[in-house]
Amino acid sequence: MSVFRAISRGLAHVNAKPARTVVHCIARDPNLTLAHNRSISNARGGSKFKVLGIETSCDDTGVAIVDSDRVLLGDAIHNQSQIHIENGGILPPVAGHLHRANMELVANQALAAAGLSMSDIDVVAATVKPGLSLSLEVGTKYGCHLSKMWKKPFIPIHHMEAHALMARMVDESVKFPFLVLLISGGHCLLALVESVDSFLLIGTTVDNSPGEVFDKLHRRLKLRNVPELSKLSGGHAIEIMAQRASNYLEFPLEIPATQSLSCDFSFSGMLTKCTRTIETEEQKYGTSADAVIESAPNLCAAVQMCIAKQLCRRVERAIIFLSRKGMMPPDKCSLVVSGGVAANKFISKALKMVCDTYDYHLSVPPPHLCNDNGVMIAWNGVERFRENLGVLQWDQLASVKVSSRSPLGRDIRPDVVDANISRVKYVKLTGLM
């Protein structure tokens, strides 16, 4: 199928089967409250303020309102995942079209859920980088439009910064500095978060991200043809399939660069080996075109374990590095894990074992806040507005531009290599399978 035919097919799906919009009315349902209703000091003279956050970096249109007391007032999201699953992957023109079609609707739903109007909002924040340009432009332009129309300050948001800070809204024990592991479909990085806008990059992926591996194997294994998995994302489908494994050791997968002195990640070799394994298994058992190989559960379990081990080993190396350099106070060490892959319970359990060994507090936001959402953008807006960082007035928006790529913080990866951390006795992930 050509790209143009695929796009046309995707747009046809928009009209035939619109994606589901999920609305949370946090303010009216105490069972859904995500934060303690307790005042915190801020740089605005102690007065409470409300931030409307807009997220459109990829394929979800998210809008949320959060106040400076850590309370989520309203949250709405239009999820495109099913359409993209049916198209075999995210097509930027389709994603952009869906954002444009639903942007105002989702914003109005979030405001209605909070029982507020734009006159009640103090600040508008929107993701401007990194992400799909056609998607970013929709949310950024709409955010600037609201800022100008209602004469509200506007805050441009870095998507990965928002993921990193999300835990501070729901977990007050996370204090600066803290270590963050961001794992998603587009990213895999380790960083020390010194403050709201100060990040030190410790490690990053040199090729694929964990979420990308999950998505590609999901397609290659044809898991969407399993009825109960047909509407799940790649990572979620593989996690469920792995739970059915009888022997995750059937397909031994090596962790790359085990002797490397860096904290960088690499998943391409594992992905290549898995693709070849699937081809071999299909030929071995004469698997039909639409069928799933019988050994899929064992392969999914092996992949999940291999990814978990690599993540844990790089985190462990980063913890040792920070300790040797005196960059992490020993009395309040925290590891924050965020991004879509952070919702994987198996990986979270593995990381918890590492944190327990080194007396680190593990903080993982609830699953729906690990994925892309407007809440994290609104909360990043709260953090930045309180510190008066990057705040633009409504008549200063000419300089606001979107960017598909943007590094996070200052790169100190060479310092990690120079630290010469070798012969690490890594935590054994026993009892996970």
Side-chain angles (χ1 to χ4, degrees):
M1 180 185 295
S2 70
V3 171
F4 297 106
R5 286 181 60 195
I7 292 173
S8 299
R9 179 187 174 196
L11 296 179
H13 276 303
V14 173
N15 297 323
K17 296 192 298 182
R20 184 166 59 99
T21 301
V22 179
V23 181
H24 300 292
C25 185
I26 303 301
R28 299 177 185 176
D29 187 347
N31 295 322
L32 292 177
T33 301
L34 297 180
H36 299 294
N37 192 7
R38 184 166 61 191
S39 296
I40 52 178
S41 61
N42 57 72
R44 301 299 176 185
S47 60
K48 184 187 296 187
F49 59 89
K50 304 179 186 68
V51 178
L52 181 144
I54 300 170
E55 159 60 17
T56 61
S57 66
C58 190
D59 62 335
D60 287 331
T61 311
V63 178
I65 299 105
V66 172
D67 71 19
S68 51
D69 285 352
R70 284 190 170 94
V71 177
L72 174 53
L73 303 173
D75 177 23
I77 188 164
H78 181 271
N79 185 284
Q80 307 175 9
S81 61
Q82 188 57 35
I83 290 174
H84 295 301
I85 287 174
E86 293 174 0
N87 285 328
I90 296 174
L91 296 172
V94 174
H97 174 86
L98 288 165
H99 284 307
R100 289 191 296 275
N102 293 283
M103 185 71 261
E104 187 169 20
L105 171 65
V106 174
N108 288 337
Q109 288 174 329
L111 288 165
L116 301 172
S117 67
M118 275 303 300
S119 61
D120 301 310
I121 301 301
D122 299 292
V123 189
V124 177
T127 308
V128 300
K129 60 184 179 182
L132 302 177
S133 296
L134 293 177
S135 295
L136 288 168
E137 287 177 357
V138 176
T140 298
K141 288 181 179 179
Y142 189 71
C144 289
H145 165 73
L146 292 179
S147 174
K148 292 177 181 177
M149 176 174 288
W150 294 92
K151 294 180 170 54
K152 307 290 183 181
F154 179 82
I155 303 179
I157 299 295
H158 191 296
H159 181 78
M160 302 310 292
E161 178 182 303
H163 268 307
L165 297 178
M166 182 68 254
R168 282 172 47 81
M169 176 181 159
V170 297
D171 185 352
E172 293 185 65
S173 65
V174 177
K175 309 293 184 182
F176 296 120
F178 61 88
L179 181 63
V180 65
L181 172 65
L182 299 180
I183 41 178
S184 66
H187 304 276
C188 183
L189 61 86
L190 269 169
L192 178 67
V193 187
E194 296 183 306
S195 63
V196 173
D197 68 338
S198 180
F199 291 72
L200 300 179
L201 183 64
I202 297 173
T204 188
T205 181
V206 298
D207 39 59
N208 304 99
S209 68
E212 184 182 3
V213 171
F214 284 148
D215 288 341
K216 288 184 176 180
L217 288 179
H218 171 260
R219 290 195 293 271
R220 186 60 186 84
L221 283 168
K222 297 167 285 190
L223 295 185
R224 60 169 292 191
N225 293 333
V226 179
E228 60 269 33
L229 305 180
S230 62
K231 295 184 178 181
L232 300 182
S233 65
H236 195 185
I238 285 180
E239 182 179 8
I240 291 178
M241 185 63 80
Q243 294 170 359
R244 304 174 184 177
S246 58
N247 179 20
Y248 79 95
L249 296 175
E250 180 182 356
F251 302 104
L253 298 174
E254 296 181 0
I255 301 173
T258 55
Q259 302 303 317
S260 172
L261 296 177
S262 78
C263 284
D264 286 340
F265 306 86
S266 175
F267 300 98
S268 63
M270 180 188 65
L271 179 60
T272 299
K273 183 172 182 178
C274 288
T275 301
R276 291 173 179 170
T277 298
I278 295 170
E279 293 173 354
T280 300
E281 291 290 291
E282 288 177 337
Q283 294 174 2
K284 180 179 178 180
Y285 295 103
T287 307
S288 62
D290 293 330
V292 178
I293 58 175
E294 294 182 6
S295 54
N298 287 345
L299 181 59
C300 288
V303 169
Q304 191 171 242
M305 176 60 87
C306 188
I307 289 177
K309 281 185 177 180
Q310 185 175 170
L311 293 175
C312 287
R313 291 185 178 185
R314 297 300 183 263
V315 166
E316 190 167 355
R317 183 178 294 277
I319 289 174
I320 295 172
F321 168 76
L322 294 175
S323 176
R324 288 188 182 180
K325 294 294 184 179
M327 300 170 71
M328 181 72 77
D331 59 334
K332 55 176 184 178
C333 301
S334 293
L335 170 67
V336 168
V337 185
S338 193
V341 179
N344 184 295
K345 294 179 181 178
F346 181 87
I347 290 176
S348 293
K349 288 180 180 179
L351 290 167
K352 181 68 164 58
M353 294 176 69
V354 174
C355 286
D356 288 346
T357 300
Y358 288 90
D359 197 23
Y360 263 60
H361 167 65
L362 177 64
S363 183
V364 184
H368 68 286
L369 296 181
C370 287
N371 295 307
D372 295 349
N373 59 84
V375 182
M376 69 182 196
I377 306 305
W379 174 249
N380 199 169
V382 169
E383 296 251 45
R384 281 185 160 271
F385 190 64
R386 185 184 292 124
E387 302 293 333
N388 195 25
L389 296 170
V391 180
L392 302 175
Q393 297 306 313
W394 62 271
D395 56 352
Q396 300 176 321
L397 304 183
S399 62
V400 177
K401 306 293 182 183
V402 303
S403 176
S404 61
R405 295 181 180 275
S406 178
L408 180 66
R410 181 165 64 90
D411 191 344
I412 63 166
R413 291 180 297 156
D415 296 343
V416 177
V417 175
D418 290 343
N420 194 30
I421 301 171
S422 58
R423 298 182 181 180
V424 178
K425 293 184 179 180
Y426 293 111
V427 174
K428 293 184 179 181
L429 305 179
T430 56
L432 281 177
M433 298 298 296

